[in-house]
Amino acid sequence: MSPRPIATPDQRLRVFVSSTIEELAAERRAVRDAVTRLRLTPVLFELGARPHPPRDLYRAYLAQSDVFVGVYGERYGWTAPDMDVSGIEDELRHSEGMPRLLYVRRSAPGRDPRLAELITRVQAEGGASTTPYDDPEELGRLVADDLAVLLTERFSAGTPAAAGSAPGWLPTPTAPMVDRADELRLVTGLLADPAVRLVTVTGPGGTGKTRLALAAAQRLEPDRDDVWWVDLSAVRDPAEVPATVAGALGVPAQGRRPLLDVITERLAGRRALLVVDNAEQVLAAAPAAAALLAHCPGTQLLVTSRTVLGLRGEQDVPLGPLPVPAPGDADPDRVRANPAVALFVARAQRADPAFALRDADVPAVAEVVRRLDGLPLALELAAARSRMLPPAALLRRLGAAVRPALDLRGTDVDAPDRQRTLRDTVAWSHDLLPGPERTLLARLSVCSGGCTLDTAEAVGAVDDDVEVLETLASLVGHSLVTPADTGEGEPRFRMLGLVRAFAAERLTDRGEADATRQRLAEHLAGVSAAAGPALTGPDQATWRVRLDAEAADLLGSLRWAVSADRADLAVAIAAPLARWWWSRGLLAEMAELAEQTAALPSAGALPPAPAASLLWARGATRIALGRADEAAPLLTRQVELARTADDPWLLGHGLVALAMTRSPDDPALAGELAEAVAAMRRSGDAWSVAYALVPLGHVALQGGDPGAALAAHEEALALARDIADDHLLATVLDQLAVDALLTGDLPGAAARLARAAELHRAVRDLEGLANCLGGLAALALAAGAPEEAARLAGAAGATRARLGVTTWPLLRRVTGQLDEAIRAALDADVDRAARAAGAALDPWTALDEGLAAVR
């Protein structure tokens, strides 16, 4: 047996501490002190300016930690606009597979219900225990004791050596570099000399400093151990520069140890090149660069900045605008050979492949590049207009607009330099537009995922003030809007994010933001009404592509309707697409929106049918989230409204959902579901008939009538095939696999799960995947592989947790029996470890593993 490698003293286990920050500040200090006393490294995410989004930071910290400590008091924590859970729940989710120590404050009278539900769920899942505490002092003692035990049990075998430096990353250039051969040769020549430690490319904004540095880094990369790209464009505080460099190198903070020490330790002994982009606003950090170079003799810095850093040994490579033709020079050959003109022509041909610089246009192009001072950024954006404006017309436009539009110094002093430059450039492009184009561009900014022509017409015209088709074509010609074929049967028109943000500001300036968002929401309500029934028709594939493309705007319009107290509009958008929301794993988000809608004053004025739809949505999503008891009163009322309105579709769905709130032993269950199926048949919706047959068959199976179960599920299967709904088909196949398992037909179960797995993968159905993983776990257990069964069960539970849903009620007894059987077949520690390993797997990887295990 080979001896263990000798670990250096700094290679200490990292303990990630998760909690709300302000509320539990004393507890965080107590935990940090306890970890430090054990000579471990505490890792805590703190508030403050960072060069990366908070979520990226804490996830990166967590990924590089070894132990997770969670502390919970009263607050659930902040939830980002694009997330459905708070940061502390997201941290808990991403800690799956790590050793966990969780502590809950005993006295928390104002505990947020969401936090209480999270704690309850963690306790129910059994993957980690939760220890109560009374005060920070007690918490510190508990953490110290628990960590000592954990280290003894889990890490007595020693810690593997660090893997070494993370690989570098260089951005991919969007186009070949024009000219700059001399400057590139100079930079690479300087850095080829090990005695040259620091090269700074200086010049005004927009000259191409970043592009030159990237080209040099690519040229030098084969001769270096590592090349890293460090972007400082978003950094304003010089004190944050070390953290930005550390993030680029993948170096985590180590307690109170200076980050610069950790960085130099990573670079020591390596021949490395750090490309530091946009340093002019943090020149006060230059001494840190000097210290880094002093401690890392093999490291070189290539910096881009508008000014030199002022360090000893610094080599300055000034970079100015591209050379322009001499005034009055109209010789076609010389003008075409000019670097600034060559760049203009190359970018114009990217915008319009038919563009050619005719001799007659040479004087105008020469003057254009002169007016723009040969500045590459300005040349590129001006050339993009050549699709609509010939050179002479472009020159006329530049006569009045170029100075204010392309001024690099900008007026937004709190905006990053690159944003100021791009804002001015987009403003110049915007100023080129006629009035209708400006109007349409502003109004289309509400479409975050782009738009089809019908959406553009609905959003863009008010009382026919804009001829949308021709104006949209003009915006395409201006390269402000781009058409793309997405498989919807017609193009989807998109704007770049920066253009859309600028256009949104103009919409606000026009005072039209709310009115335009209302038009979008009303239009999407019509799209929803058309798409709902079409999802089971011959054009369903096209409609699914359309809805997937509209997903962001559908959700955005729902949120707008809630904010505007338009319960009627929220229901009109959401209700027809219930099956699509489900198939896309959006039930948790829809549950929140349904509750918000119900709380609106306007909800009280809803007519019976929309009111019943809202009740059903609230009840069905509560069931999905594991709150069946809360759903029953809502669904009881919904069923009453559906009977009064004589609406068989709402009645059938209400009865199915109501059945899921009952005990599986309720003698009325089968009759309730049979009535639901009959109502669905009256509605004429084949999808809903198949959907209702699934629980009806399961109840029959649980009641000891496998023949009736098989008949119900085979009919559901035939209906799903007839309407070609892969999501529903996979759901039915999962249930048929359960039938086969419970009747001892293991080969039949395996075949159905294999086919269901193909469909789940095809439609990216994570909730169905979790059900499929449960079936594969049962097969693995039957095949004598209980540890594999535990892994698959762990993966299934983790997948549901990520979605924020639970096992559907009628399947919980079967799932519970499976869990009991797995635990009975394994030692408790082996079971926990296997489930944790499964939970850490990518769910699709777990699916492949499960299928391989049962073949």
Side-chain angles (χ1 to χ4, degrees):
M1 180 177 178
S2 60
R4 297 177 189 162
I6 299 173
T8 59
D10 62 286
Q11 293 178 354
R12 299 172 181 170
L13 291 172
R14 299 182 180 92
V15 180
F16 185 92
V17 182
S18 172
S19 74
T20 51
I21 295 176
E22 296 177 355
E23 174 204 10
L24 300 178
E27 280 89 340
R28 290 169 69 84
R29 287 192 295 271
V31 174
R32 181 194 62 202
D33 293 346
V35 173
T36 304
R37 285 196 299 272
L38 290 172
R39 300 296 189 268
L40 307 179
T41 300
V43 180
L44 297 92
F45 175 77
E46 302 289 0
L47 295 173
R50 294 292 189 274
H52 302 286
R55 180 171 54 200
D56 291 350
L57 279 174
Y58 70 66
R59 286 182 178 178
Y61 292 172
L62 184 56
Q64 298 171 74
S65 299
D66 304 291
V67 179
F68 180 86
V69 172
V71 183
Y72 307 104
E74 293 189 342
R75 299 180 186 172
Y76 178 64
W78 183 71
T79 301
D82 60 341
M83 293 184 65
D84 58 355
V85 298
S86 70
I88 62 170
E89 181 165 353
D90 189 56
E91 290 171 348
L92 182 64
R93 290 182 179 184
H94 281 77
S95 72
E96 289 168 353
M98 294 172 60
R100 289 176 174 174
L101 300 174
L102 308 180
Y103 303 88
V104 179
R105 194 168 67 197
R106 278 194 180 91
S107 177
R111 180 168 288 151
D112 189 310
R114 295 170 295 178
L115 178 59
E117 192 276 334
L118 173 61
I119 295 169
T120 301
R121 187 167 70 246
V122 169
Q123 293 169 337
E125 290 172 352
S129 61
T130 55
T131 302
Y133 73 92
D134 290 315
D135 53 53
E137 182 179 359
E138 181 187 20
L139 175 64
R141 291 196 302 270
L142 291 170
V143 170
D145 291 345
D146 291 346
L147 277 173
V149 173
L150 175 68
L151 295 177
T152 302
E153 294 177 345
R154 301 293 293 268
F155 297 104
S156 60
T159 303
S165 300
W169 171 83
L170 292 174
T172 301
T174 58
M177 187 168 63
V178 174
D179 199 53
R180 304 301 195 191
D182 292 342
E183 293 90 342
L184 178 60
R185 194 159 40 245
L186 176 58
V187 172
T188 55
L190 287 169
L191 290 170
D193 181 357
V196 175
R197 309 296 309 287
L198 170 62
V199 174
T200 304
V201 180
T202 59
T207 53
K209 299 184 298 294
T210 298
R211 184 66 184 85
L212 175 62
L214 175 57
Q218 290 172 321
R219 186 77 59 87
L220 295 165
E221 189 172 21
D223 300 323
R224 299 294 188 275
D225 294 329
D226 301 291
V227 176
W228 282 284
W229 186 270
V230 183
D231 183 5
L232 299 182
S233 62
V235 181
R236 290 294 173 272
D237 184 355
E240 295 300 327
V241 171
T244 306
V245 176
L249 272 62
V251 175
Q254 295 183 5
R256 297 183 180 180
R257 191 180 180 202
L259 259 179
L260 191 60
D261 291 353
V262 184
I263 294 168
T264 55
E265 191 171 80
R266 169 63 62 89
L267 295 174
R270 304 188 69 79
R271 192 173 183 216
L273 174 66
L274 271 63
V275 186
V276 182
D277 195 29
N278 294 284
E280 62 268 9
Q281 73 278 12
V282 286
L283 291 177
L292 178 68
L293 292 173
H295 288 86
C296 304
T299 295
Q300 294 173 304
L301 295 181
L302 173 57
V303 179
T304 71
S305 174
R306 296 187 184 186
T307 60
V308 295
L309 304 189
L311 298 178
R312 289 177 297 173
E314 180 180 18
Q315 298 288 325
D316 181 21
V317 179
L319 190 67
L322 291 170
V324 300
D329 188 357
D331 180 82
D333 292 335
R334 282 198 303 270
V335 170
R336 287 190 177 96
N338 177 265
V341 173
L343 177 59
F344 180 93
V345 171
R347 297 304 185 262
Q349 289 174 339
R350 286 174 54 198
D352 180 5
F355 180 87
L357 181 53
R358 301 177 303 164
D359 287 355
D361 292 327
V362 163
V365 170
E367 186 58 27
V368 164
V369 300
R370 283 193 289 264
R371 293 277 183 94
L372 297 176
D373 295 320
L375 196 66
L377 180 61
L379 294 173
E380 292 187 20
L381 290 161
R385 311 296 168 255
S386 60
R387 195 185 314 185
M388 184 192 76
L389 292 175
L394 179 60
L395 179 59
R396 287 194 296 272
R397 294 293 305 173
L398 285 176
V402 64
R403 288 185 60 83
L406 300 180
D407 184 355
L408 291 173
R409 299 184 60 181
T411 56
D412 297 322
V413 296
D414 61 338
D417 292 339
R418 284 185 171 181
Q419 288 183 1
R420 290 203 298 269
T421 301
L422 291 171
R423 180 187 296 277
D424 287 345
T425 302
V426 175
W428 177 74
S429 302
H430 178 265
D431 290 344
L432 290 173
L433 298 175
E437 278 81 350
R438 295 185 194 184
T439 298
L440 183 60
L441 188 72
R443 291 171 180 171
L444 292 184
S445 68
V446 300
C447 302
S448 60
C451 64
T452 54
L453 180 59
D454 64 294
T455 301
E457 290 173 331
V459 167
V462 179
D463 298 326
D464 297 322
D465 62 343
V466 174
E467 208 299 304
V468 171
L469 180 60
E470 293 302 320
T471 309
L472 185 59
S474 177
L475 289 174
V476 171
H478 280 268
S479 298
L480 290 169
V481 174
T482 303
D485 182 6
T486 61
E488 299 175 56
E490 60 177 290
R492 176 165 286 268
F493 298 91
R494 292 191 171 94
M495 282 184 253
L496 293 176
L498 284 167
V499 174
R500 194 173 75 85
F502 181 91
E505 293 175 354
R506 305 288 76 75
L507 186 68
T508 300
D509 292 345
R510 296 170 63 93
E512 295 184 358
D514 273 345
T516 307
R517 292 193 176 280
Q518 178 174 330
R519 290 199 301 278
L520 176 62
E522 290 171 346
H523 172 69
L524 289 179
V527 171
S528 178
L535 287 172
T536 57
D539 296 327
Q540 61 176 277
T542 299
W543 275 106
R544 288 183 188 281
V545 172
R546 168 79 184 266
L547 291 174
D548 289 345
E550 301 280 14
D553 286 331
L554 285 164
L555 288 169
S557 292
L558 275 170
R559 296 188 188 101
W560 180 87
V562 169
S563 69
D565 191 16
R566 287 291 305 275
D568 60 324
L569 199 49
V571 174
I573 294 170
L577 300 179
R579 67 194 69 172
W580 180 77
W581 301 117
W582 175 37
S583 71
R584 292 303 180 260
L586 294 169
L587 289 183
E589 189 154 9
M590 295 310 298
E592 182 179 359
L593 285 166
E595 296 299 334
Q596 292 173 355
T597 302
L600 296 175
S602 60
L606 287 173
S613 294
L614 181 58
L615 285 168
W616 173 74
R618 296 172 66 200
T621 53
R622 287 186 184 192
I623 291 170
L625 300 182
R627 296 154 54 193
D629 289 346
E630 299 175 21
L634 300 174
L635 293 167
T636 299
R637 174 61 180 150
Q638 184 257 323
V639 167
E640 292 172 356
L641 287 174
R643 291 189 193 281
T644 301
D646 193 24
D647 187 324
W649 193 94
L650 278 173
L651 176 61
H653 279 280
L655 289 170
V656 169
L658 192 58
M660 292 186 185
T661 69
R662 314 284 195 209
S663 164
D665 299 319
D666 190 327
L669 195 58
E672 197 165 53
L673 286 168
E675 184 185 359
V677 171
M680 297 297 200
R681 294 189 197 279
R682 290 200 312 276
S683 77
D685 182 359
W687 188 96
S688 295
V689 174
Y691 172 77
L693 284 167
V694 172
L696 178 64
H698 185 77
V699 168
L701 186 66
Q702 293 284 86
D705 191 348
L710 183 62
H713 292 153
E714 289 287 0
E715 183 185 355
L717 184 68
L719 289 169
R721 283 176 174 155
D722 286 345
I723 61 179
D725 187 312
D726 287 346
H727 178 260
L728 180 61
L729 185 58
T731 300
V732 178
L733 285 167
D734 285 334
Q735 182 59 61
L736 281 165
V738 173
D739 298 351
L741 282 166
L742 294 180
T743 55
D745 180 11
L746 300 186
R752 286 159 178 157
L753 288 172
R755 175 58 180 146
E758 294 176 5
L759 296 169
H760 289 312
R761 193 186 302 276
V763 300
R764 308 303 290 175
D765 172 23
L766 283 170
E767 185 182 5
L769 165 65
N771 295 331
C772 191
L773 287 170
L776 292 170
L779 281 177
L781 181 65
E787 193 167 345
E788 179 62 26
R791 281 171 62 86
L792 295 170
T799 301
R800 292 190 183 96
R802 290 188 190 104
L803 292 172
V805 301
T806 62
T807 305
W808 286 95
L810 294 179
L811 290 174
R812 284 180 192 157
R813 176 177 291 178
V814 174
T815 302
Q817 291 169 346
L818 173 62
D819 280 339
E820 290 175 7
I822 292 172
R823 289 192 169 94
L826 291 172
D827 176 80
D829 289 339
V830 173
D831 176 69
R832 280 194 295 271
R835 289 176 188 270
L841 288 174
D842 172 81
W844 302 107
T845 301
L847 180 64
D848 291 336
E849 181 181 300
L851 291 170
V854 302
R855 285 194 179 101

